[in-house]
Amino acid sequence: MALATPARPAPPAPARAHRHRTSGSAKRARWDMKFSPYLYIAPFFIVFGIFGLYPMAKTAWMSLHDWDMIGDHTFIGFDNYAELLKDEYFWNAVVNTLGIFVVATVPQLILALFLANLLNRTRLRARTMFRMAVFVPNITSVAAVAIVFAMLFQRDFGVINWLLSLIGIDPIDWDAQRWSSWTAIAFMVDWRWTGYNALILLAGMQSIPRDLYEAAALDGASHWRQFWRITLPMLTPTFVFVVVLSTIGGLQLFTEPLIFGNGNMRGGTQREFQTLAMYMYEKGINSLNTAGYGAAIAWALFVLIGIVAAINLALVRRTVK
C-alpha cells in the first residue's frame, strides 16, 4: 500500500505578497520597455501630423479642385496638373529654379568642403573663433542679406559694377537678364549657407579616426590623396545629408529673389528669375481664385525636389565610391 505524500505547507502570506509584487513589477517593466519609446517620440509625430501631413493632404485635395480662398470649390480632377503642362510661366519658373540651384549649390558645396577641410587639418590660432565666424552669415536676417546684396548689385551705384569698371567692364544691369540675376542671387545664397554646410561637414570630418591619417602619412600619402582616399569616403553619410538639405533649400528659394527684385513676385519684368516658390505664391495667394492651381504647383515642386534629390544622392554615392 502506497504511502500518501505529505502535503507541502503553503508559503506564508508575506512571501506570497512579495512574489505578487515581483510579478507585477516585471510586467510593468515589460510594458514600459515595449511602449515607452512610442510615448517619447509621440510629440514629434503629433506636431508633424498637424503641421506637416495635414497641410500636405489638404494641399493635395485642393489641387484637385477649382478652389478660391473664399471657400467655394468645384472638383475638377487632374485638370490643374494638365494646365501646368501647358503653362509657359510654370516651365519658365522650373528653368529659373533649376538654373539658380545649379549656379548656387555646386560652388556652395565645393567651397563648404574646402573650408571644412581647411578648418579640420590646418593648425590655426583661435580656431573656435574662425568656426563661429563662418556661421555668422547664417544667423543674419535673410531680408537684411538680400537688401545688402541688392545694393551691391545695383546697376548705377553698386559696388560690384564699380569693381568691374576698374578692369574695363561696362556696368551690368543685374536684374534685367537671366544669367546676371541668377549669378547675383547665387552669390547671395552662397554667402549665407556655405559656412553652415561647412560646419556640418567639419563635424563629420572630426569623427574620422586620426590614426588613419597618421598611417597614410607614414606610407607617404599626400594631403590630397588622404583627402580623396580617407576623408571623402568616410564623409559620405554627412555629405549626402548636406547635399539633400541643400537640394531642398535650393529648390524652395523664395526670399532672396523676391527681395532682389524689390518685392516683385513676377521675378523681374520678364520673369527672369521667378522661382517655383514665387510662382506658387503668385497663383495660390495673390490670386484668390486660383488657390487650387497654386496647390498643384506646390505638389509639382514637391515632386521636383524628390527627383533632383534622388539624382544628387545617386551621383554623390557614385562619385565617392
Side-chain angles (χ1 to χ4, degrees), residues 12 23 28 66 81 161 173 202 227 231 247 284-285 287:
S23 176
R28 286 193 297 270
D66 183 10
Y81 294 97
N161 277 341
D173 193 357
L202 176 61
F227 172 79
T231 304
T247 300
I285 305 298
S287 301

Side-chain angles (χ1 to χ4, degrees), residues 7 15 20 75 141 146 215 242 245 291 296 302:
H20 179 73
F75 183 81
S141 170
V242 169
L245 200 66
F302 176 80

Side-chain angles (χ1 to χ4, degrees), residues 219-234:
D219 290 338
S222 63
H223 285 296
W224 168 250
R225 192 169 183 81
Q226 291 177 31
F227 172 79
W228 191 254
R229 296 297 183 182
I230 298 176
T231 304
L232 204 55
M234 299 198 70

Side-chain angles (χ1 to χ4, degrees), residues 155-174:
R155 183 187 61 182
D156 298 322
F157 305 104
V159 175
I160 304 300
N161 277 341
W162 174 73
L163 293 174
L164 292 177
S165 67
L166 298 179
I167 56 176
I169 299 178
D170 294 332
I172 299 173
D173 193 357
W174 291 96

Side-chain angles (χ1 to χ4, degrees), residues 22-216:
T22 303
S23 176
S25 299
K27 187 175 181 180
R28 286 193 297 270
R30 289 195 299 271
W31 278 73
D32 181 65
M33 291 293 294
K34 187 175 182 180
F35 294 105
S36 61
Y38 297 100
L39 294 177
Y40 297 147
I41 64 175
F44 165 78
F45 285 100
I46 292 173
V47 173
F48 177 71
I50 296 173
F51 297 101
L53 290 180
Y54 173 73
M56 290 177 64
K58 183 62 178 291
T59 304
W61 178 248
M62 290 175 61
S63 69
L64 302 177
H65 291 74
D66 183 10
W67 196 293
D68 60 43
M69 299 302 289
I70 300 175
D72 298 333
H73 53 273
T74 305
F75 183 81
I76 57 175
F78 293 95
D79 288 357
N80 283 327
Y81 294 97
E83 184 66 25
L84 277 181
L85 300 178
K86 301 181 293 183
D87 187 354
E88 60 176 338
Y89 292 149
F90 168 75
W91 290 112
N92 175 74
V94 170
V95 171
N96 290 336
T97 301
L98 292 176
I100 296 174
F101 167 74
V102 172
V103 173
T105 304
V106 174
Q108 177 190 143
L109 294 177
I110 295 174
L111 288 172
L113 194 60
F114 171 77
L115 187 59
N117 188 60
L118 184 66
L119 292 174
N120 185 50
R121 300 300 301 273
T122 306
R123 298 184 179 277
L124 297 173
R125 293 183 179 180
R127 184 180 300 180
T128 303
M129 184 189 70
F130 281 104
R131 293 175 181 176
M132 293 175 59
V134 299
F135 189 70
V136 168
N138 184 256
I139 62 177
T140 306
S141 170
V142 62
V145 173
I147 291 172
V148 170
F149 272 84
M151 295 175 63
L152 291 175
F153 284 96
Q154 280 185 348
R155 183 187 61 182
D156 298 322
F157 305 104
V159 175
I160 304 300
N161 277 341
W162 174 73
L163 293 174
L164 292 177
S165 67
L166 298 179
I167 56 176
I169 299 178
D170 294 332
I172 299 173
D173 193 357
W174 291 96
D175 59 354
Q177 301 178 30
R178 175 169 283 181
W179 71 268
S180 58
S181 58
W182 288 4
T183 303
I185 295 170
F187 268 98
M188 199 182 310
V189 174
D190 289 350
W191 184 84
R192 187 163 184 260
W193 289 103
T194 298
Y196 174 82
N197 290 330
L199 288 185
I200 297 177
L201 294 173
L202 176 61
M205 289 179 181
Q206 290 182 334
S207 66
I208 300 175
R210 294 290 177 182
D211 297 344
L212 298 177
Y213 294 107
E214 294 174 0

